[in-house]
Amino acid sequence: MYRHFLFAGILGAVTLVLSVTPLGFVPVPNLSTYATTMHIPAIIGGIIGGPLVGCILAFFTMHLFLGNIVACFVPRLLIGAVAFYTWRALGRGNLGVVVGSLAGTATNTIGVLGLMVLMGYFRFEQVIPVFLLNGTLELALSALVVLPIVRILKKVVKSDLNSRC
């Protein structure tokens, strides 16, 4: 079990680097001003380490969006778990990794923006451009980045996570 926490810690450090450097923020011309890549380590952790690792990594992706802790916390807790269960449901192959990364990203984007609309921070019309531009960019980045990283890490980490401590 400690190996899962170690793996989560390593990916958490990657997330922290993404959160304090321009690598984690892709500029976009809309209300949000940027799309994020900070959810990608949570997806990778969820697929390789399981839903617990994915949930632990969610704590590293937290940054309060307009001070709303519910909208920023709940969807991000689900990123890795959704990615893991989607990957597992699709047979744990490359297609499952890509669809799992898309599902994890969609969980983040739809969850955060949807809760912000439901809680009255934004009107639905305001988040449509954010969803279309940021969501599309984040989905594309996730699909392109997660599969090669997971393929490499599965060769190195998976057998280590499954071995006895």
Side-chain angles (χ1 to χ4, degrees):
M1 182 58 99
Y2 76 89
R3 293 171 193 230
H4 287 84
F5 287 109
L6 177 62
F7 183 60
I10 292 169
L11 288 176
V14 171
T15 304
L16 289 176
V17 169
L18 291 174
S19 71
V20 296
T21 66
L23 294 172
F25 303 97
V26 179
V28 292
N30 63 24
L31 179 66
S32 71
T33 67
Y34 62 87
T36 181
T37 60
M38 290 183 288
H39 61 288
I40 291 175
I43 292 169
I44 293 168
I47 290 173
I48 293 176
L52 176 62
V53 172
C55 287
I56 290 170
L57 287 167
F59 289 99
F60 293 95
T61 66
M62 302 293 166
H63 61 278
L64 290 179
F65 186 50
L66 299 176
N68 188 323
I69 194 165
V70 173
C72 293
F73 188 72
V74 174
R76 291 184 174 131
L77 270 178
L78 299 174
I79 294 170
V82 168
F84 171 78
Y85 288 114
T86 303
W87 167 73
R88 191 170 81 173
L90 294 175
R92 302 177 186 228
N94 290 339
L95 177 65
V97 171
V98 173
V99 176
S101 73
L102 295 175
T105 301
T107 299
N108 181 48
T109 304
I110 294 169
V112 171
L113 292 176
L115 284 174
M116 295 300 274
V117 169
L118 288 175
M119 299 174 120
Y121 283 85
F122 297 115
R123 291 187 320 266
F124 185 71
E125 302 81 39
Q126 290 176 302
V127 299
I128 289 175
V130 176
F131 176 75
L132 292 176
L133 183 58
N134 294 33
T136 303
L137 183 58
E138 290 170 359
L139 286 168
L141 282 172
S142 179
L144 290 173
V145 170
V146 170
L147 179 60
I149 293 174
V150 165
R151 289 182 72 171
I152 292 168
L153 287 177
K154 280 174 70 175
K155 292 178 183 173
V156 177
V157 176
K158 188 67 176 179
S159 62
D160 195 37
L161 285 177
N162 289 334
S163 66
R164 294 191 176 254
C165 301

